[in-house]
Amino acid sequence: MGIYELIPTDHETFEKDLAGSFLQRLMMLDYRARYIPVTQHSAEVSHSDPVADFDTLNTNESFLDAFFSSHRDSNESTQSHIHPMDVQMAVYHCSDSFLKQSMITKLSQCQYALPLLVPDPVTMDVECPLWTFRQIRKTWKITQIEENSTSIAMKSSPICKAETPMVSFFRLGSLSVSKSQLMSTLINDRHNTFFHRNCPGSTKSRHLLDGVAEIAWYCPSGKPNDAFTDCTAFCNLHGDALSNEKQRDILIDKASVNVVLLPTPKKGDKSMTLVSDLLESEKPVICLITDDDCTAVQTKKGKYKMGLKDRSQSDVSNELKRIIGEILAGQHTTFQLEAMMNVSGIRVDEDDAVIQKGKSGAMEVMKTLQQEDFSKIKDKFLPCQGRLWHEWCKTHKELYQLKVHVEKEKSKKEERLREIRQKQCDAPRSELMELFIGSMSSLPSMDKEFFLKWTQILIDSLSTDDLTAILQSYDEKWSEVLALKKKHAKSESLKRKQTELEQISTKLQSATFGLEHIFREMGQIYEAHKTVEKKTQRGQTDWSKYPELAAELMISGYPMELMDGDAGHVPLIWISSLLEAVIKKLGDQRVFVLSVLGVQSSGKSTMLNAMFGLQFAVSAGRCTKGAFMQLVKVSEEMKKEFQCDYVLVVDTEGLRALELAGNATLHHDNELATFVVGLGNMTLINIFGENPAEMQDVLQIVVQAFMRMKKVKLSPSCVFVHQNVTDIAAECFSDVIAFDVQKDVKYFAQLWEGSPPMAPPNPGYSESIQELKKMILSKASTSAGITLSQFKNKIQDLWNALLNEHFVFSFKNTLEIKVYRKLEVQYGNWTWALRSNMLTIENQLYNRIENGKVDKMELSHLRETISKTYGEVKKEMENYFDDADKETLVQWRGRFEIKIQQFHVDLVAGVKRKLEEVIQQKKACKKLDRQKTEFENKLLQKSKDLAHQLKDQAQDEEELKKQFDSVWNGWVKELTEHCDETQQSEEGARKNKNPKQQEKYSRKGAWVTFKTCFTSFIEKMEKQTNEIIQLKPVAESGYTSTYLTEVAKNVRECVTEFESEKKYALKKEFTVDLLLHVFNIAGRLLSESHLKFKKRNDALTYLESNKTQYYNIFRSFCKGNSFAVVLGELICEKLKVSMVEAACNKTAIDLAGEMRCNFPAFNGNRLNLEKHVLKSMAKKEDFDSFITYIKHPRKYVETFIEEEVNTYIFNTHKREARDVLKKNIEDLKRLVSQASFTATEKVKTQSRKTDEWLKTFSSLLGDVLAFDASFPQNFTDINDFDFLKEEVEKGLVPISEELSSLSLSKIKKFRQKPDQILIEQLCKCCWVKCPFCAAVCINTIEDHGPEKHNVPFHRPSGIEGWHTRGTEDLVIDFCTTLVASNRSFHPRHDSEETVPYKQYQNGGDKYAQWMITADESKLTYWKWFVCRFQKQLEEHYNLKFQNWGEIPPEWTKHTKDEAIQSLDEMYKCE
């Protein structure tokens, strides 16, 4: 990088200057660098031996023969031009790594194809120049069509990391058709992306291009005429693919689609083998046959052919676009440049030791940033430049704005400055800074350059994703501001937009991170230590060496920050020491200072880059912020004309910057303009844009800056660069400074020739650059400039003079609601995937526990069981957050990842708790289980003996039943007479309770009258009672009276706390009635659990429940059946119970899953559920339902879910539900049959024992059915297991018939209930009510902090019973209207103080937790409700809609249909 003599571009170039001319034009973004006319050194064509004089020829035939003769004179010149691509490749091969990278970057900006695979001209080894692509970034817009709607998503990515489809082109043999030209038409039919035979300067002979594979990317603009809807790579192998096998095979392997150009192959040709291989591969192939005229046809899936003969290139191109688009619309592989590192057989330039050394150092630095929240990196790793530095700047500026007690104030502020500097010194040096400075200090010069470049590349790749969405919001908000300014509006709307713009600026400040911030931290560490004179701690780099390190970089051409754009301050101590270090190394050189000012995003940095090759070190994806200075060395040959050794360029952020578009803008712009104009020997004012008002503002700022310079006797020159500034506007400068309108105003062409992102730079732009550079150098040659020491002093003088001006700006985040709502839906899908899988796992483990296979539940086992699903969910999350809206989603990514992790943990813990209860119940029943075998053996023997006595009466069913009943009670009494009393039935205990107490137990007393006032307190007591009882092991250990004692104690304590908090004195009757109310709730729960305990632990209950089973055994023995028959019947009896339970549980899960996915109310987020609840209520028009919903929203929603599930299963989808149940029953039947067969085959070849058969049978039923394999000892002598199997199969027939007619209502009697499953899934969300209108927060996440509660609509507060204090007037206003009014409210019912609605968040925590914004939407639904139920509402609250609360007449016109329709319209907006 330097100032060299310009090679003229307006005439032909000699061959010796080709390389320099090519590079010069390319660096100026002139795509005509490929088409440089060449002047031949040889003499002109000789005329010494002309062809025969045609006039001397006698006949016409002789004339024609001579005219078209191919005879060539021996003296005729045979010299040909150098092929343009040979020039490009020659320059490429002769360049070092950095020049190659710069060259390829410029080629990319010129929309040219770039070398991907390059054979070495000498060794022919193939190289992939991955390093050269590292600075290239592509931006495009993806068009997505979903359900008849089209969405455009912007994407920006370093091209090395972009995953895109790739279309590879190669030819087989020599063809008459230009492959490269055809490819160019696919990408840009107005620009030759790939050089081809018909380009200017092309020759037949070329030496360095064959075997080179070039790549280019098509980037769609999101418009209907896009050739492709997503970014697509096109790769072109130059030369015959048959001769370049290595490159060809790599491209074929990496491509998504292969396109082959060839003549019709003949048998035996090499091309035939290759084409055959391609056609047999899985990848799509398009064969373009040059000597065939067939239309495009797909011979089989993914295999196309098309003839090129007699077809126009336009037709071929259009057809090819269609085919490629059709292929890429389906499943396809993608290509990523970085994947080339893994390709064998080629060399990658990044493997070079010097590049790797720089990269390894940069990677060490980047490791410290991994897993960090990007917006917090600066706070964590760069503590000296954040809050402390900003506070220092603010305090330092206040030194120049002292009031009243000046010296006292000044002393205080100076002390504060010292304290801040001390804190900066005391701040621990981060690992990031230690590694960075360590590498900078130790690496050799070349390694250091690679280290810096790699660090910048890696940081930019981290930061850009976060910035894309913010920058996009810049453009949108800036456009809104400009639109308002065009109307000359000075409304509140304009102020609000400007404030929002300032807020976005602060957000950008937090999210921006680059090398400039690391150097800024070095500067602040240096300034702090220099001020405090603190010595360097052991193990740390000496801070006094920092200026020297920075000076080396500045001398090598690296830009250094002059003004901190974030703090709006110049760090004078650091800048002075830095320039002193430069002077120490170079001497006090003379510099020509070129300052650059312009409108935001007007292309200042692009212009400087094209003119001088500058690379200002700003973070990727945004404009320059603050001011940077960069040294450009004047070459030795140019020094003869110059009085200066260097040009020092000062580049600045744009005036009227988007970040500062509010009240602080004018101060900041004046400050910045004055500073850089004063620094410069010449100021380049760059005004691009179409907005006259915007340019007028800039002109006024610049004029004011120059007027200030005039007053302080500085006289910089000025040059205007513009697109549409009138001469009249520029002439005003002549009154202020020496300014020639004719010479000092330069008109620039537009940068792009067409519409980005595929437009190449306008050649007129590069010509303008050339002319401007000439003029600047001409002026610089006549200027003595200033010395570096003078420049240093000038900085100090100007800055100290400007400290009187001051600006601040604020920040606030704005959430993208639609993206968040979509995220909520996805969150529901992810949690359902985990829940449904865990339900299945729970069922399986439950059966294993019942079968005695599991007696301990480990968390690790549960985690392992669900790990696959959890992994899939995490992968889906990762893909979702990396998808189209990732720039917006990134702010929630970490939070939702934690939420899913917590959901997973809670889900696993919940199932573990449930299953441990089952295990405890199982263990609690061990004593009874031991007795069961004894009972069964005795009962079996008694049944057999009795049957033997009554075998003659076997045909008389009634008599058998009578005889069995007569002895059964005696058997039971005999068997249970030695059992513990605790195992006896406790029915008597219930009966002995005080009847009066029972009457009170169900009494609904005086508490009802207090319910309206104390609803939330009573709900709290109900919830706490439920929680207390649910934690008690009643099902395992039985009921004890201490449980209710604990409930009573809790109620009394809460009542006392409530009285103290609310300053009430509650009557004793209220406490008693509240106790009875919660006892009633607790009683139901205790009864259910105790019943389970009795069934499992009471011997009498157990025997009575098995009476029918033993009667069947008795009857079977009476009929003379064998033990095998009886055992078969016993097995089937047990299977019947188990199969019913298993089928119902499985069906409940299946139906819940089906409704969760397909039922409209359940397949979205919380907002979607709310919409359907409201619709349902409107359709029913039941006032009590509305009141329940308003007062107890969760209770009502749970009821709604239960009702909808019942309607779905038992009404609207009854047939489908029955089909699900039948399928599950059939699956169970097949499982049992297979288990019976397998168990029989196993025991026949092994033990032939009944116990073994039963054990094997039970094991095969596995996790699906609970089956107790313990049976009486009487069955041990069974030998015919085939017969036993047949008996089981026979017994299954009536069971299957009975189960096939099983009522769907049975589903609700077992463990898994579809409504409860869905309630757990859908109701685990936020239920906080709006403190004004009781509208429920619609966030799908239960604990969704730090986001505040919000709802897309609110409702009249009178619906909740709010009324004007001292009146009976119900409030009719929506709270979203009230927060924009000047009215006030009482934050508590007993408070006398009032709070303005505009400051509602000052009313206390419950108000501060809500975000209620002024809303102009007119929700018809609640207006209809108020009118429809006006009378009922007035009666319910004993208040009136009158006076302040009078219902507007317009509300009465709304119909129910309109109300329901308004819900759909409202939710579409969310």
Side-chain angles (χ1 to χ4, degrees), residues 881-988:
F881 279 105
D882 289 336
D883 208 354
D885 295 316
K886 64 180 180 181
E887 293 84 2
T888 306
L889 289 167
V890 69
Q891 59 189 307
W892 302 301
R893 182 170 190 158
R895 203 176 310 143
F896 271 75
E897 286 173 348
I898 292 171
K899 287 293 179 186
I900 285 292
Q901 181 183 4
Q902 189 60 49
F903 180 85
H904 168 252
V905 169
D906 293 344
L907 192 64
V908 170
V911 170
K912 179 178 183 290
R913 185 172 61 252
K914 285 183 189 177
L915 294 175
E916 281 180 337
E917 289 176 4
V918 177
I919 291 172
Q920 290 303 318
Q921 291 169 0
K922 188 82 175 168
K923 288 179 179 178
C925 296
K926 275 188 175 180
K927 186 172 183 180
L928 180 60
D929 288 341
R930 287 192 297 270
Q931 291 175 335
K932 281 181 184 178
T933 305
E934 181 184 348
F935 291 164
E936 288 171 351
N937 286 331
K938 289 180 179 179
L939 285 172
L940 187 66
Q941 187 60 46
K942 289 178 181 294
S943 297
K944 184 179 178 183
D945 294 343
L946 181 61
H948 183 72
Q949 298 172 19
L950 303 173
K951 61 182 178 180
D952 295 336
Q953 303 175 25
Q955 302 302 318
D956 190 344
E957 182 76 22
E958 186 177 340
E959 182 61 29
L960 287 178
K961 185 74 170 69
K962 181 179 176 182
Q963 291 292 338
F964 184 81
D965 288 341
S966 66
V967 298
W968 172 256
N969 289 335
W971 291 355
V972 169
K973 185 176 180 181
E974 179 187 339
L975 291 173
T976 59
E977 63 183 350
H978 300 296
C979 292
D980 293 342
E981 289 183 10
T982 55
Q983 288 182 299
Q984 300 293 328
S985 171
E986 296 186 17
E987 285 296 318

Side-chain angles (χ1 to χ4, degrees), residues 701-758:
I701 291 168
V702 176
V703 167
Q704 186 176 6
F706 275 93
M707 288 178 69
R708 286 182 173 180
M709 295 305 104
K710 188 175 182 179
K711 289 178 181 179
V712 295
K713 299 181 181 180
L714 292 175
S715 54
S717 61
C718 171
V719 174
F720 262 99
V721 174
H722 73 101
Q723 287 177 321
N724 55 3
V725 176
T726 64
D727 289 346
I728 296 174
E731 281 178 356
C732 63
F733 275 77
S734 60
D735 296 331
V736 181
I737 59 172
F739 183 79
D740 189 329
V741 175
Q742 301 302 319
K743 295 180 179 179
D744 296 336
V745 178
K746 291 294 179 184
Y747 175 84
F748 257 47
Q750 291 282 353
L751 173 57
W752 302 113
E753 191 179 62
S755 300
M758 291 307 297

Side-chain angles (χ1 to χ4, degrees), residues 1004-1107:
K1004 301 182 188 287
W1007 71 274
V1008 176
T1009 62
F1010 290 91
K1011 188 173 182 182
T1012 301
C1013 190
F1014 301 113
T1015 298
S1016 60
F1017 175 65
I1018 295 168
E1019 287 177 350
K1020 176 184 174 183
M1021 290 296 91
E1022 291 172 350
K1023 183 180 179 182
Q1024 288 185 4
T1025 300
N1026 274 324
E1027 291 172 352
I1028 291 171
I1029 298 302
Q1030 285 172 358
L1031 290 173
K1032 304 305 177 187
V1034 182
E1036 296 86 4
S1037 308
Y1039 164 76
T1040 173
S1041 60
T1042 58
Y1043 297 160
L1044 285 180
T1045 303
E1046 184 177 342
V1047 169
K1049 181 183 177 184
N1050 180 65
V1051 169
R1052 291 192 188 98
E1053 288 175 353
C1054 290
V1055 167
T1056 302
E1057 182 182 343
F1058 182 76
E1059 286 178 320
S1060 173
E1061 181 182 336
K1062 301 296 182 183
K1063 299 178 182 178
Y1064 285 145
L1066 298 175
K1067 291 184 178 180
K1068 188 176 181 180
E1069 288 84 351
F1070 174 80
T1071 305
V1072 171
D1073 286 321
L1074 180 59
L1075 281 169
L1076 292 176
H1077 174 63
V1078 297
F1079 280 2
N1080 194 24
I1081 295 171
R1084 290 195 298 269
L1085 295 172
L1086 290 168
S1087 297
E1088 291 173 8
S1089 298
H1090 189 72
L1091 186 60
K1092 292 179 183 177
F1093 171 78
K1094 281 180 57 183
K1095 283 186 176 179
R1096 289 179 171 273
N1097 295 275
D1098 185 62
L1100 180 59
T1101 303
Y1102 168 75
L1103 290 172
E1104 289 294 345
S1105 66
N1106 286 277
K1107 179 179 178 181

Side-chain angles (χ1 to χ4, degrees), residues 1266-1280:
F1267 180 77
D1268 185 1
S1270 60
F1271 283 87
Q1273 298 174 356
N1274 309 58
F1275 298 110
T1276 56
D1277 57 349
I1278 295 175
N1279 295 316
D1280 191 349

